[in-house]
Every structure is written in C-alpha cells, then in structure tokens.
Amino acid sequence: MLTMKRIFVLGLALTIVSATIPGGVTELSGADLKEAEDTLNNSLSKLASGDGPNYKLSKIIKVTRQVVAGYRYVYDVELIEGSKTKVCNVVIWSQPWLENGIEVTFNCPDGQVVRKHSA
C-alpha cells in the first residue's frame, strides 16, 4: 500500500513539474487560452491579407503551448473557408524577434500549407 502511495505522489509531482518547465507541453485554459486564440486570429488575419490561406476561426477544440526558442502553439480547431467548415490541426511557431518569425502550419483534410509572416 505504501508503494502505491509513493507511485501516485511521484506521478502527480512529475505531472505538475512537466507543465511548468521549459520544453514541457501545457494544455491551455483561461487567460492563456484567450492569448492563444488572439495569436491564431492575428495570424489568420495577416495571412488572409497576404498570399493566404483565407480562413476564419469557428471554434477552438484544444490548444497546447510549448516553450522552445519562442512559443510553439498546437491547435485543434474548426476553420471556415468560404462556406465550408473543416477540422484542422494548426501549429504556430512564434519567434517574434526574427524577420518573418511566425511560422504557421495548417494540417487539414485537403493537405498541408506552411506560411510565414512577421510579428
């Protein structure tokens, strides 16, 4: 019984620590989720005013963030393109100190698109 308690406490401690260390992946909620939504909407607007693609955000299903030489956001979202809605995985790697330091990768049922833009 004591061994089971130790395993549980160790597992819980590792879960808490991995969410706060650099390189650890964190699922977002609250203010962090709102910040991630703003980041995505900003990228969608910049890309739509340039060479595309032209998507609008319909719904966020899940977002994670990882600190890796900037921020790496991974979104599962519903995007609107014209009159169609599709579920896509979107990755935004944000390195705003670089020229065109925002890389956006759309993985949708109809293929992958990678674009860069400035911060």
Side-chain angles (χ1 to χ4, degrees):
M1 185 66 172
L2 185 59
T3 302
M4 290 298 288
K5 286 182 183 178
R6 286 182 183 164
I7 291 172
F8 175 76
V9 170
L10 180 60
L12 183 61
L14 287 173
T15 301
I16 292 168
V17 168
S18 71
T20 59
I21 60 172
V25 176
T26 306
E27 188 166 347
L28 303 182
S29 61
D32 291 333
L33 178 60
K34 177 64 176 141
E35 179 184 329
E37 180 179 354
D38 293 344
T39 298
L40 178 57
N41 279 322
N42 182 49
S43 285
L44 293 174
S45 294
K46 285 193 175 205
L47 294 173
S49 67
D51 57 342
N54 190 4
Y55 294 131
K56 300 266 188 236
L57 179 61
S58 172
K59 177 182 173 184
I60 292 179
I61 300 165
K62 177 183 172 183
V63 184
T64 60
R65 179 176 60 203
Q66 183 178 18
V67 179
V68 285
Y71 285 116
R72 182 177 182 267
Y73 293 96
V74 179
Y75 302 80
D76 291 327
V77 294
E78 289 181 5
L79 297 175
I80 301 168
E81 182 179 37
S83 61
K84 297 179 184 177
T85 300
K86 54 186 168 183
V87 176
C88 300
N89 173 269
V90 180
V91 178
I92 297 178
W93 186 9
S94 175
Q95 296 178 300
W97 61 91
L98 298 175
E99 184 178 344
N100 289 323
I102 312 295
E103 181 180 274
V104 186
T105 304
F106 298 93
N107 294 298
C108 299
D110 53 348
Q112 183 183 72
V113 175
V114 180
R115 296 285 188 268
K116 287 189 172 191
H117 68 81
S118 61

